[in-house]
Amino acid sequence: MKSLWILFVVGAVLSWGAYVPTIHAGQMAFNKGALRAFLFVGLAYCLTAVLVPGLLIFVGKLEPTEFPTKGMTISTLAGIFGAAGALCVILALKYGGTPLTVPPLVFCGAPIVASVIGMVLHKPANPPSPMFYVGLLMAAVGAGLVLRFKPV
């Protein structure tokens, strides 16, 4: 149970890794209908992110049923960021990006941004090692390499 979190990381990697190619296929099935595809992404978010936790909280009694304003506000902002990111991916695909170009940029750029924002919101006890910054640079270089040598 101590390392159960890693299974959820793998789940997120697999889910988000499948997201761009799948939503692109959905857009094509809608005859290049990016906004119609996003509408169904929203429906899926509602089913997954509203119904499941609602049942787990209210029926499964896995967490208290109190909802502090600060938690609701920050969590709603996080949801807006997530939905905006999904919309940006969908529009990137609509306007010329492909499943071979969009994911390397998004999934290499997002961890860099997340690391910086994470350090701002949760100030580390010690300054990051220079190797941390080397890692950020390597993520950016990795995206460049994937794009440069992508299959055509």
Side-chain angles (χ1 to χ4, degrees):
M1 289 301 263
K2 193 174 185 180
S3 59
L4 184 61
W5 66 271
I6 197 72
L7 293 176
F8 293 109
V9 169
V10 171
V13 167
L14 294 173
S15 298
W16 272 98
Y19 176 70
V20 175
T22 305
I23 194 59
H24 184 259
Q27 287 178 342
M28 296 300 103
F30 273 118
N31 195 21
K32 298 184 180 180
L35 296 178
R36 288 175 287 161
F38 189 56
L39 183 65
F40 283 87
V41 168
L43 175 63
Y45 267 83
C46 181
L47 292 172
T48 307
V50 176
L51 294 180
V52 172
L55 287 171
L56 292 174
I57 291 168
F58 293 107
V59 176
K61 309 257 188 235
L62 295 180
E63 289 189 8
T65 55
E66 57 194 38
F67 292 90
T69 303
K70 182 177 180 181
M72 291 189 305
T73 302
I74 295 171
S75 298
T76 300
L77 180 61
I80 291 169
F81 288 146
L87 178 59
C88 287
V89 164
I90 286 168
L91 293 175
L93 292 169
K94 177 179 176 67
Y95 290 108
T98 71
L100 291 175
T101 57
V102 173
L105 293 170
V106 170
F107 299 131
C108 289
I112 294 169
V113 172
S115 295
V116 172
I117 292 174
M119 287 192 309
V120 170
L121 294 177
H122 307 282
K123 188 167 173 45
N126 301 308
S129 158
M131 293 307 290
F132 172 80
Y133 297 104
V134 170
L136 294 180
L137 180 62
M138 288 175 64
V141 169
L145 288 170
V146 168
L147 290 172
R148 171 67 177 92
F149 298 105
K150 71 181 180 303
V152 287

